[in-house]
Short mmCIF file of all heavy atoms in Angstrom, two decimals:
data_model
loop_
_atom_site.label_atom_id
_atom_site.label_comp_id
_atom_site.label_asym_id
_atom_site.label_seq_id
_atom_site.Cartn_x
_atom_site.Cartn_y
_atom_site.Cartn_z
N ASP A 1 6.64 -6.30 2.94
CA ASP A 1 6.04 -5.78 4.19
C ASP A 1 4.51 -5.57 4.04
O ASP A 1 3.89 -5.17 5.03
CB ASP A 1 6.64 -4.43 4.53
CG ASP A 1 8.14 -4.63 4.84
OD1 ASP A 1 8.52 -5.59 5.42
OD2 ASP A 1 8.94 -3.74 4.53
N GLY A 2 3.94 -5.86 2.84
CA GLY A 2 2.49 -5.73 2.76
C GLY A 2 2.05 -4.72 1.70
O GLY A 2 0.86 -4.73 1.34
N LEU A 3 2.99 -3.96 1.19
CA LEU A 3 2.51 -3.01 0.13
C LEU A 3 2.30 -3.71 -1.17
O LEU A 3 3.10 -4.70 -1.44
CB LEU A 3 3.69 -1.93 -0.12
CG LEU A 3 3.73 -0.77 0.80
CD1 LEU A 3 4.96 0.02 0.54
CD2 LEU A 3 2.54 0.07 0.72
N PRO A 4 1.33 -3.38 -2.00
CA PRO A 4 1.19 -4.06 -3.26
C PRO A 4 2.25 -3.71 -4.27
O PRO A 4 2.59 -4.51 -5.16
CB PRO A 4 -0.14 -3.57 -3.77
CG PRO A 4 -0.33 -2.22 -3.07
CD PRO A 4 0.37 -2.34 -1.79
N SER A 5 2.94 -2.53 -4.10
CA SER A 5 4.03 -2.11 -4.99
C SER A 5 4.97 -1.26 -4.21
O SER A 5 4.59 -0.60 -3.26
CB SER A 5 3.36 -1.27 -6.08
OG SER A 5 4.30 -0.55 -6.79
N ASP A 6 6.25 -1.24 -4.64
CA ASP A 6 7.19 -0.42 -3.96
C ASP A 6 7.22 0.95 -4.52
O ASP A 6 7.98 1.80 -4.00
CB ASP A 6 8.61 -1.07 -4.16
CG ASP A 6 8.80 -2.35 -3.36
OD1 ASP A 6 8.12 -2.49 -2.39
OD2 ASP A 6 9.63 -3.17 -3.75
N VAL A 7 6.46 1.24 -5.58
CA VAL A 7 6.42 2.61 -6.14
C VAL A 7 5.23 3.37 -5.65
O VAL A 7 4.07 3.09 -5.94
CB VAL A 7 6.46 2.58 -7.73
CG1 VAL A 7 6.47 3.97 -8.28
CG2 VAL A 7 7.58 1.74 -8.21
N VAL A 8 5.43 4.35 -4.78
CA VAL A 8 4.36 5.11 -4.11
C VAL A 8 4.39 6.50 -4.73
O VAL A 8 5.39 7.21 -4.73
CB VAL A 8 4.57 5.18 -2.55
CG1 VAL A 8 3.52 6.01 -1.87
CG2 VAL A 8 4.61 3.71 -2.02
N HIS A 9 3.17 6.96 -5.19
CA HIS A 9 3.05 8.26 -5.79
C HIS A 9 2.28 9.26 -4.84
O HIS A 9 2.27 10.47 -5.13
CB HIS A 9 2.32 8.21 -7.13
CG HIS A 9 3.20 7.67 -8.18
ND1 HIS A 9 4.22 8.30 -8.70
CD2 HIS A 9 3.12 6.43 -8.80
CE1 HIS A 9 4.75 7.54 -9.66
NE2 HIS A 9 4.16 6.43 -9.72
N GLY A 10 1.60 8.74 -3.82
CA GLY A 10 0.82 9.65 -2.93
C GLY A 10 0.63 9.02 -1.64
O GLY A 10 0.54 7.83 -1.48
N ILE A 11 0.52 9.95 -0.61
CA ILE A 11 0.20 9.47 0.81
C ILE A 11 -0.78 10.43 1.37
O ILE A 11 -0.68 11.65 1.24
CB ILE A 11 1.51 9.55 1.63
CG1 ILE A 11 2.59 8.56 1.06
CG2 ILE A 11 1.16 9.09 3.14
CD1 ILE A 11 3.91 8.72 1.74
N ALA A 12 -1.77 9.83 2.09
CA ALA A 12 -2.81 10.65 2.83
C ALA A 12 -3.01 10.09 4.13
O ALA A 12 -3.14 8.83 4.28
CB ALA A 12 -4.08 10.73 2.01
N ALA A 13 -3.06 10.87 5.20
CA ALA A 13 -3.18 10.37 6.56
C ALA A 13 -4.55 10.62 7.16
O ALA A 13 -5.21 11.66 6.87
CB ALA A 13 -2.16 11.01 7.45
N GLU A 14 -5.03 9.65 7.92
CA GLU A 14 -6.21 9.80 8.76
C GLU A 14 -5.78 9.54 10.17
O GLU A 14 -4.58 9.17 10.38
CB GLU A 14 -7.26 8.73 8.41
CG GLU A 14 -7.80 8.76 7.02
CD GLU A 14 -8.84 7.65 6.87
OE1 GLU A 14 -8.42 6.44 6.74
OE2 GLU A 14 -10.02 7.94 6.84
N PRO A 15 -6.58 9.84 11.23
CA PRO A 15 -6.07 9.63 12.56
C PRO A 15 -5.64 8.14 12.84
O PRO A 15 -4.67 7.95 13.63
CB PRO A 15 -7.30 9.99 13.40
CG PRO A 15 -8.11 10.93 12.57
CD PRO A 15 -7.86 10.44 11.14
N ASP A 16 -6.30 7.16 12.29
CA ASP A 16 -5.97 5.82 12.54
C ASP A 16 -5.34 4.99 11.37
O ASP A 16 -5.07 3.80 11.52
CB ASP A 16 -7.26 5.06 13.03
CG ASP A 16 -8.32 5.04 11.91
OD1 ASP A 16 -8.18 5.82 10.95
OD2 ASP A 16 -9.18 4.22 12.01
N ALA A 17 -5.13 5.68 10.34
CA ALA A 17 -4.58 4.95 9.15
C ALA A 17 -3.78 5.92 8.17
O ALA A 17 -4.04 7.11 8.27
CB ALA A 17 -5.74 4.24 8.41
N VAL A 18 -3.02 5.23 7.37
CA VAL A 18 -2.34 5.94 6.23
C VAL A 18 -2.70 5.29 4.99
O VAL A 18 -2.68 4.05 4.89
CB VAL A 18 -0.82 5.98 6.47
CG1 VAL A 18 -0.09 6.68 5.32
CG2 VAL A 18 -0.46 6.63 7.78
N TRP A 19 -3.03 6.09 3.90
CA TRP A 19 -3.37 5.56 2.59
C TRP A 19 -2.29 5.89 1.65
O TRP A 19 -1.70 7.00 1.68
CB TRP A 19 -4.71 6.16 2.10
CG TRP A 19 -5.89 5.64 2.78
CD1 TRP A 19 -6.40 6.16 3.92
CD2 TRP A 19 -6.73 4.56 2.42
NE1 TRP A 19 -7.50 5.47 4.35
CE2 TRP A 19 -7.76 4.46 3.40
CE3 TRP A 19 -6.73 3.69 1.33
CZ2 TRP A 19 -8.74 3.54 3.27
CZ3 TRP A 19 -7.68 2.74 1.28
CH2 TRP A 19 -8.72 2.65 2.19
N LEU A 20 -1.90 4.93 0.77
CA LEU A 20 -0.84 5.13 -0.20
C LEU A 20 -1.39 4.83 -1.60
O LEU A 20 -2.12 3.81 -1.81
CB LEU A 20 0.34 4.22 0.04
CG LEU A 20 1.23 4.58 1.22
CD1 LEU A 20 0.67 4.15 2.53
CD2 LEU A 20 2.57 4.03 1.01
N ALA A 21 -1.08 5.69 -2.56
CA ALA A 21 -1.45 5.41 -3.96
C ALA A 21 -0.20 4.82 -4.56
O ALA A 21 0.83 5.48 -4.72
CB ALA A 21 -1.79 6.75 -4.64
N THR A 22 -0.30 3.59 -5.11
CA THR A 22 0.95 2.95 -5.61
C THR A 22 0.72 2.71 -7.11
O THR A 22 -0.40 2.60 -7.61
CB THR A 22 1.16 1.58 -4.90
OG1 THR A 22 0.12 0.64 -5.20
CG2 THR A 22 1.19 1.70 -3.42
N GLU A 23 1.83 2.59 -7.77
CA GLU A 23 1.88 2.38 -9.18
C GLU A 23 1.81 0.89 -9.43
O GLU A 23 2.48 0.10 -8.71
CB GLU A 23 3.19 2.97 -9.74
CG GLU A 23 3.40 2.78 -11.26
CD GLU A 23 4.64 3.40 -11.74
OE1 GLU A 23 5.01 4.50 -11.26
OE2 GLU A 23 5.27 2.81 -12.63
N ALA A 24 1.17 0.43 -10.45
CA ALA A 24 1.14 -0.92 -10.83
C ALA A 24 2.48 -1.28 -11.40
O ALA A 24 2.99 -0.69 -12.37
CB ALA A 24 0.08 -1.25 -11.87
N VAL A 25 3.12 -2.30 -10.85
CA VAL A 25 4.47 -2.80 -11.24
C VAL A 25 4.42 -4.31 -11.46
O VAL A 25 3.71 -4.99 -10.75
CB VAL A 25 5.45 -2.43 -10.16
CG1 VAL A 25 6.88 -2.97 -10.44
CG2 VAL A 25 5.56 -0.96 -9.90
N ASN A 26 5.14 -4.72 -12.42
CA ASN A 26 5.26 -6.22 -12.79
C ASN A 26 6.29 -6.84 -11.85
O ASN A 26 7.48 -6.57 -11.95
CB ASN A 26 5.52 -6.35 -14.22
CG ASN A 26 5.40 -7.84 -14.64
OD1 ASN A 26 5.57 -8.73 -13.87
ND2 ASN A 26 5.13 -7.99 -15.95
N TYR A 27 5.80 -7.70 -10.97
CA TYR A 27 6.70 -8.49 -10.05
C TYR A 27 6.56 -9.96 -10.50
O TYR A 27 5.55 -10.62 -10.30
CB TYR A 27 6.28 -8.37 -8.63
CG TYR A 27 6.49 -7.02 -8.03
CD1 TYR A 27 5.43 -6.09 -7.95
CD2 TYR A 27 7.69 -6.63 -7.54
CE1 TYR A 27 5.58 -4.80 -7.41
CE2 TYR A 27 7.89 -5.36 -6.95
CZ TYR A 27 6.83 -4.46 -6.90
OH TYR A 27 7.02 -3.22 -6.38
N ASN A 28 7.66 -10.41 -11.17
CA ASN A 28 7.76 -11.83 -11.66
C ASN A 28 6.48 -12.22 -12.35
O ASN A 28 5.92 -13.33 -12.16
CB ASN A 28 7.97 -12.76 -10.41
CG ASN A 28 9.24 -12.46 -9.73
OD1 ASN A 28 10.28 -12.14 -10.30
ND2 ASN A 28 9.21 -12.51 -8.32
N GLY A 29 6.07 -11.43 -13.38
CA GLY A 29 4.95 -11.77 -14.27
C GLY A 29 3.60 -11.44 -13.66
O GLY A 29 2.61 -11.69 -14.29
N GLN A 30 3.47 -10.82 -12.50
CA GLN A 30 2.23 -10.48 -11.88
C GLN A 30 2.22 -8.95 -11.64
O GLN A 30 3.05 -8.42 -10.96
CB GLN A 30 2.00 -11.20 -10.59
CG GLN A 30 0.70 -10.89 -9.94
CD GLN A 30 0.52 -11.53 -8.59
OE1 GLN A 30 1.42 -12.27 -8.08
NE2 GLN A 30 -0.69 -11.46 -8.00
N TRP A 31 1.20 -8.23 -12.20
CA TRP A 31 1.03 -6.84 -11.99
C TRP A 31 0.39 -6.57 -10.61
O TRP A 31 -0.64 -7.16 -10.38
CB TRP A 31 0.20 -6.20 -13.12
CG TRP A 31 1.01 -6.09 -14.41
CD1 TRP A 31 1.00 -7.04 -15.40
CD2 TRP A 31 1.88 -5.05 -14.83
NE1 TRP A 31 1.85 -6.61 -16.41
CE2 TRP A 31 2.35 -5.47 -16.06
CE3 TRP A 31 2.26 -3.89 -14.19
CZ2 TRP A 31 3.25 -4.63 -16.73
CZ3 TRP A 31 3.19 -3.08 -14.92
CH2 TRP A 31 3.66 -3.44 -16.11
N ARG A 32 1.06 -5.74 -9.79
CA ARG A 32 0.61 -5.40 -8.51
C ARG A 32 0.58 -3.89 -8.33
O ARG A 32 1.54 -3.25 -8.67
CB ARG A 32 1.36 -6.12 -7.43
CG ARG A 32 1.24 -7.63 -7.47
CD ARG A 32 2.02 -8.31 -6.42
NE ARG A 32 2.49 -7.47 -5.32
CZ ARG A 32 3.49 -7.77 -4.52
NH1 ARG A 32 4.21 -8.88 -4.68
NH2 ARG A 32 3.83 -6.97 -3.62
N GLY A 33 -0.43 -3.37 -7.66
CA GLY A 33 -0.52 -1.98 -7.33
C GLY A 33 -1.90 -1.72 -6.68
O GLY A 33 -2.54 -2.62 -6.32
N GLY A 34 -2.23 -0.42 -6.57
CA GLY A 34 -3.57 -0.11 -6.07
C GLY A 34 -3.45 0.79 -4.79
O GLY A 34 -2.48 1.51 -4.59
N ALA A 35 -4.50 0.81 -4.00
CA ALA A 35 -4.58 1.63 -2.84
C ALA A 35 -4.21 0.81 -1.61
O ALA A 35 -4.93 -0.15 -1.30
CB ALA A 35 -6.01 2.18 -2.72
N ALA A 36 -3.22 1.15 -0.98
CA ALA A 36 -2.78 0.46 0.26
C ALA A 36 -3.15 1.28 1.47
O ALA A 36 -2.93 2.51 1.52
CB ALA A 36 -1.28 0.27 0.22
N ARG A 37 -3.75 0.60 2.47
CA ARG A 37 -4.04 1.16 3.76
C ARG A 37 -3.27 0.56 4.93
O ARG A 37 -3.31 -0.69 5.01
CB ARG A 37 -5.58 1.02 4.00
CG ARG A 37 -6.03 1.63 5.35
CD ARG A 37 -7.52 1.39 5.59
NE ARG A 37 -8.01 2.10 6.79
CZ ARG A 37 -7.95 1.59 7.94
NH1 ARG A 37 -7.39 0.36 8.26
NH2 ARG A 37 -8.44 2.26 9.00
N HIS A 38 -2.62 1.38 5.67
CA HIS A 38 -1.88 0.93 6.76
C HIS A 38 -2.65 1.27 8.03
O HIS A 38 -2.78 2.42 8.35
CB HIS A 38 -0.45 1.48 6.89
CG HIS A 38 0.36 0.93 7.89
ND1 HIS A 38 0.54 1.56 9.12
CD2 HIS A 38 1.07 -0.26 8.00
CE1 HIS A 38 1.34 0.78 9.93
NE2 HIS A 38 1.63 -0.28 9.28
N ASP A 39 -3.14 0.26 8.78
CA ASP A 39 -3.83 0.45 10.03
C ASP A 39 -2.76 0.64 11.12
O ASP A 39 -1.93 -0.25 11.41
CB ASP A 39 -4.61 -0.83 10.36
CG ASP A 39 -5.40 -0.73 11.71
OD1 ASP A 39 -4.82 -0.18 12.68
OD2 ASP A 39 -6.53 -1.22 11.71
N VAL A 40 -2.62 1.87 11.62
CA VAL A 40 -1.65 2.25 12.56
C VAL A 40 -1.61 1.43 13.89
O VAL A 40 -0.62 0.96 14.33
CB VAL A 40 -1.66 3.79 12.89
CG1 VAL A 40 -0.63 4.19 13.91
CG2 VAL A 40 -1.54 4.54 11.57
N GLN A 41 -2.81 1.23 14.45
CA GLN A 41 -2.90 0.57 15.70
C GLN A 41 -2.51 -0.88 15.61
O GLN A 41 -1.85 -1.42 16.44
CB GLN A 41 -4.37 0.61 16.22
CG GLN A 41 -4.57 -0.06 17.56
CD GLN A 41 -6.00 0.04 18.06
OE1 GLN A 41 -6.87 0.63 17.40
NE2 GLN A 41 -6.23 -0.56 19.24
N HIS A 42 -2.89 -1.57 14.54
CA HIS A 42 -2.62 -3.00 14.36
C HIS A 42 -1.38 -3.28 13.45
O HIS A 42 -0.99 -4.41 13.25
CB HIS A 42 -3.83 -3.73 13.79
CG HIS A 42 -4.99 -3.63 14.72
ND1 HIS A 42 -6.02 -2.77 14.45
CD2 HIS A 42 -5.29 -4.24 15.87
CE1 HIS A 42 -6.97 -2.86 15.42
NE2 HIS A 42 -6.53 -3.73 16.27
N ALA A 43 -0.76 -2.23 12.93
CA ALA A 43 0.39 -2.40 12.04
C ALA A 43 0.13 -3.33 10.97
O ALA A 43 0.99 -4.22 10.68
CB ALA A 43 1.61 -2.78 12.90
N ALA A 44 -1.05 -3.25 10.34
CA ALA A 44 -1.42 -4.21 9.28
C ALA A 44 -1.78 -3.46 7.97
O ALA A 44 -2.34 -2.34 8.03
CB ALA A 44 -2.66 -4.99 9.73
N TRP A 45 -1.45 -4.09 6.84
CA TRP A 45 -1.65 -3.49 5.55
C TRP A 45 -2.87 -4.21 4.91
O TRP A 45 -3.05 -5.45 5.04
CB TRP A 45 -0.53 -3.70 4.62
CG TRP A 45 0.65 -2.85 4.91
CD1 TRP A 45 1.77 -3.24 5.67
CD2 TRP A 45 0.87 -1.46 4.54
NE1 TRP A 45 2.61 -2.16 5.74
CE2 TRP A 45 2.08 -1.08 5.08
CE3 TRP A 45 0.08 -0.67 3.79
CZ2 TRP A 45 2.59 0.20 4.81
CZ3 TRP A 45 0.60 0.64 3.56
CH2 TRP A 45 1.83 1.06 4.09
N THR A 46 -3.72 -3.49 4.23
CA THR A 46 -4.71 -4.00 3.35
C THR A 46 -4.66 -3.29 2.00
O THR A 46 -4.22 -2.13 1.94
CB THR A 46 -6.22 -3.84 3.92
OG1 THR A 46 -6.43 -2.51 4.23
CG2 THR A 46 -6.41 -4.67 5.17
N THR A 47 -5.02 -3.95 0.98
CA THR A 47 -4.94 -3.35 -0.37
C THR A 47 -6.30 -3.36 -1.07
O THR A 47 -6.99 -4.41 -1.04
CB THR A 47 -3.93 -4.13 -1.20
OG1 THR A 47 -2.62 -4.05 -0.61
CG2 THR A 47 -3.86 -3.54 -2.67
#
């Protein structure tokens, strides 16, 4: 769905977005994690 990792350790909300702190996880040999931002209006994820 656009998250860099399925392991989320923190969530913080702004009026137009939600930020998630994710754990770095190895997915098929590639480490993925970081700060994910969900744009509420456009239903889009950026990392």
